[in-house]
Structure formats: C-alpha cells, structure tokens
Amino acid sequence: MSTHFSKRDELIHALTDQMRISSTVTIFFHQAIAEHLGLNQTDHKCLELLQRKGAMTAGELAEESKLTTGAITGVIDRLEKAGFARRVKDPNDRRRWIIEIVQENIKIIEDLFKTFAQQTMQLYDKYTDEELAVILDYVSESTNLTVEWTKKLREKR
Amino acid sequence: MSTHFSKRDELIHALTDQMRISSTVTIFFHQAIAEHLGLNQTDHKCLELLQRKGAMTAGELAEESKLTTGAITGVIDRLEKAGFARRVKDPNDRRRWIIEIVQENIKIIEDLFKTFAQQTMQLYDKYTDEELAVILDYVSESTNLTVEWTKKLREKR
DNA sequence: GAAAACATCTTAGTTGGTAAGATATTTAAT
DNA sequence: ATTAAATATCTTACCAACTAAGATGTTTTC
C-alpha cells in the first residue's frame, strides 16, 4: 500500500503552504510599513481605510475598523498630530466630524508604494495576458473565500 | 490626446487592486482566527511560528516575533494557560526553556484549517495543472518581493 | 574558581484598548 | 414650539500587553 502523490497533489500542497506563508509575510509587511511611518498598526490600518474608501465620519471609521468610538478618538488624534489626516466639521450635521486625508503629507506613503509597484511590474513581465487573467481570477476567488471564512468565524462567537 | 489603456494594463491594474484588498482581508482573517481561539493576535502569531518552524527556545521565539524577552514570557504564560504550548527544560542547557506545541490541543486549530482547505480544494478544481503552476509561481514570487520590502523597511530605521 | 556571557523572568512605567457615561446637536412627537 | 429621544463624538476610569532595565540562575571561558 504505497502512498502516491500525483503532480497535481504536489502542486496543490505547495500552493496551500505558500498561501499560508504569504499570509504571515503580509502581516509582517504591514507591521513594517506602520513602523516606517511612525504609526502603530491600528492607526495605519485606519489611514488605509481612509485612503481606500475616502473621507468618512469618526463613527464610520469606528465601524469599518471594528474599534470603539473611544479608541477612534485616540486614532484620529494621533493621525492628526502626525499630519496624515484632519478633522473637518460636517456643515450639515454639526455633531459629526468628517475625517479626511491630508494629501500633501500622504505623498511619502504614495512614493513608497510607487517604488514597490515598479518592482512588481517587473514581476508581471514574466506572465502572458492569459496567465495574468488566471492569477487575477485566483486571487479574487481566494480573497472571497477568506472574506466568507472571516464572517463565519465572527458569527460563531 | 486620449489616454488608452490596453487589456494588459487593465489586468495589471485590477491585480494590483486585488492584491491590496487581499492583504487587508488576510489581516482581518487572522484577527478573527485569534479571537475564535480565545487568543490575542500576538499570541496567535507566536503559536503559528511554533507550528511552522517547530519547537524553539523562548529567546528564539522573541527574535522571530520581534518581541522583547519580557513580552515573550507573557505570551508563553498565556499559551501555556490556554493549553496550546508548554515549556520544557533544555536538558543540555538548563538556562533555556524549549517551547513546544501541545499536539492534542492544537487539533481544534488543525480541524478548523482542514475545513478551510477542503473548500479551497473546490476552488482548485477550476484550474488546470499548468494554471496552478502559474499561480504557485506568482504567489511565491510576490511573497519573495514582500519579504524583501519588509527587510528594506526595517533596515531604513 | 572567578569573571564574563547568556537565557529567562520580574518590575516599573507607557501605550492603546474597552465600557460606560458626559456633552452637544439633531430629529421626532405632541 | 417644546420636550423627549436619538445620534455623534469625546472623556473618564480601568485594564491588557508592551518595552527597557535589571534580577536571577546557569554555563562558558580563562
């Protein structure tokens, strides 16, 4: 009774392994970015949310980041002090503060990512259009799965 | 003067976007796993290091996780209390504690990931061997890049 | 066998989080 | 129009987990 693994099994095994490594590496990477910017991880995550989703109120930021409003007050204080974001009173509802990014000061971050993007471009050169399409499909689908699992885990307690 | 984007440009743009989303989603996922296990993120990260790299001394764990030895003492205390790891005196050097995983109690985590792995298998069905090889290559290469960038960021300060 | 090196733990102080409630503003009800 | 309820953010008191520095116990070196 010999255990035989097909080439496909081996591919799948290697990919599973590599995805796990990729997760861990990603987490360390984001930690390193935050440190580089002189921010803690939470503050950096909130800054990214603001970059990706655009200006929003303090309450929305709390909801998106899964932090309490009390914690968000501190986050915004620190981001404001670092010059990356600022509070603007909502003219229509003066209870609300809208938190927006300070474009001039965010340039450092954008330049950083531009360098990274350039190196990634070189990686893309390796692949044909068809291959890139497969990669995109896989990354999208596996991200969808991860989102699903995250929801399930949160529901379970 | 019209800006024209080729199909390839669009693919690359979409992939860049998707990779960024994937990072964020991964971070939330790991947060959810930790919560599910009743651990904080730091403790969970250390547990993963032990799973991936095998048993190691408290000092090695501190180095791998970029925590101080003081913090690691707390991490190990909590992992031990939760039953996921234990301290074993190094018989050759009694200054050292070797931290090892408690296999019986780690099963919960393995079962959790087995479920995830099964669902991922269905995703793999979509792809040919050749396509899986391309995906594996891309994930490996982009992980390597991320590792490189992480190092660079840490060196720079 | 004494000094230096080493591995881990302990302690004191700091940071960033939550929960609960204070303050200010808007919306809804009569 | 006034009052009550709802809403948005901030403040406060408290707690968990981190760092830095040094204490403790063990090994290595000379």
Side-chain angles (χ1 to χ4, degrees):
Chain A
M1 192 170 108
S2 82
T3 32
H4 176 260
F5 293 107
S6 67
K7 185 173 168 243
R8 188 175 179 87
D9 287 341
E10 273 164 27
L11 266 173
I12 286 174
H13 183 258
L15 185 53
T16 305
D17 250 33
Q18 195 57 50
M19 284 302 285
R20 192 164 193 189
I21 294 170
S22 166
S23 291
T24 310
V25 163
T26 298
I27 288 166
F28 275 107
F29 180 48
H30 278 247
Q31 203 170 313
I33 296 169
E35 271 165 32
H36 184 81
L37 296 172
L39 298 174
N40 69 39
Q41 279 196 74
T42 304
D43 295 354
H44 178 232
K45 189 175 75 185
C46 290
L47 187 56
E48 270 200 328
L49 281 169
L50 289 169
Q51 281 185 280
R52 213 171 65 244
K53 308 219 166 182
M56 61 182 97
T57 66
E60 284 162 349
L61 194 51
E63 200 178 353
E64 292 278 350
S65 63
K66 315 280 180 208
L67 289 173
T68 58
T69 60
I72 280 295
T73 300
V75 169
I76 301 168
D77 285 350
R78 289 187 297 271
L79 286 178
E80 206 161 37
K81 200 173 159 194
F84 291 132
R86 74 176 137 233
R87 288 174 167 91
V88 182
K89 267 273 178 229
D90 183 335
N92 302 319
D93 183 343
R94 278 166 42 222
R95 290 171 303 182
R96 297 167 141 198
W97 288 104
I98 293 168
I99 316 306
E100 59 178 35
I101 276 184
V102 180
Q103 281 304 331
E104 313 91 84
N105 297 340
I106 224 76
K107 261 193 156 266
I108 310 151
I109 303 175
E110 282 175 349
D111 289 349
L112 192 68
F113 279 99
K114 234 170 259 168
T115 313
F116 294 166
Q118 277 162 6
Q119 286 191 49
T120 309
M121 286 304 159
Q122 289 175 15
L123 173 57
Y124 294 151
D125 286 347
K126 278 181 69 174
Y127 307 107
T128 64
D129 285 13
E130 290 70 28
E131 287 171 339
L132 279 180
V134 169
I135 293 167
L136 173 59
D137 183 78
Y138 172 76
V139 175
S140 306
E141 293 286 5
S142 88
T143 302
N144 288 346
L145 267 183
T146 307
V147 170
E148 233 180 77
W149 294 339
T150 304
K151 267 189 207 144
K152 264 186 211 154
L153 283 177
R154 289 211 199 277
E155 278 162 15
K156 277 206 211 168
R157 179 169 314 243
Chain B
M1 193 170 109
S2 83
T3 32
H4 175 260
F5 293 107
S6 66
K7 187 175 166 241
R8 187 173 180 89
D9 287 342
E10 273 163 27
L11 266 173
I12 287 175
H13 185 257
L15 184 53
T16 305
D17 250 32
Q18 196 58 50
M19 284 301 285
R20 191 165 194 187
I21 294 170
S22 168
S23 292
T24 310
V25 163
T26 298
I27 288 164
F28 276 108
F29 180 47
H30 278 245
Q31 206 169 311
I33 296 169
E35 270 165 34
H36 185 81
L37 297 173
L39 297 174
N40 69 37
Q41 278 196 76
T42 303
D43 295 355
H44 177 233
K45 189 175 74 184
C46 289
L47 187 56
E48 270 200 328
L49 282 169
L50 289 171
Q51 281 186 280
R52 213 172 65 243
K53 308 220 167 184
M56 62 182 97
T57 66
E60 284 163 350
L61 193 52
E63 200 179 350
E64 292 278 350
S65 64
K66 315 282 180 206
L67 290 172
T68 59
T69 60
I72 280 295
T73 300
V75 169
I76 301 169
D77 285 351
R78 290 186 298 271
L79 286 180
E80 205 160 37
K81 200 172 160 193
F84 291 132
R86 75 177 137 233
R87 286 174 169 92
V88 181
K89 266 273 178 228
D90 184 334
N92 302 319
D93 184 342
R94 283 167 39 222
R95 288 170 304 184
R96 297 166 140 199
W97 288 105
I98 293 168
I99 316 305
E100 59 178 34
I101 277 185
V102 180
Q103 281 303 331
E104 313 91 86
N105 298 338
I106 224 75
K107 260 191 155 270
I108 310 151
I109 303 175
E110 282 175 350
D111 289 350
L112 192 69
F113 278 100
K114 234 171 259 170
T115 313
F116 294 166
Q118 277 162 8
Q119 286 192 50
T120 309
M121 286 303 159
Q122 290 174 17
L123 173 56
Y124 293 151
D125 286 346
K126 279 181 68 174
Y127 306 106
T128 64
D129 286 12
E130 289 69 30
E131 286 171 342
L132 280 181
V134 168
I135 293 167
L136 174 58
D137 184 79
Y138 171 75
V139 175
S140 305
E141 293 285 6
S142 90
T143 303
N144 288 345
L145 265 183
T146 308
V147 170
E148 228 179 83
W149 294 339
T150 305
K151 267 190 209 145
K152 261 186 214 155
L153 284 176
R154 289 210 199 279
E155 278 162 18
K156 276 205 214 170
R157 180 169 313 245

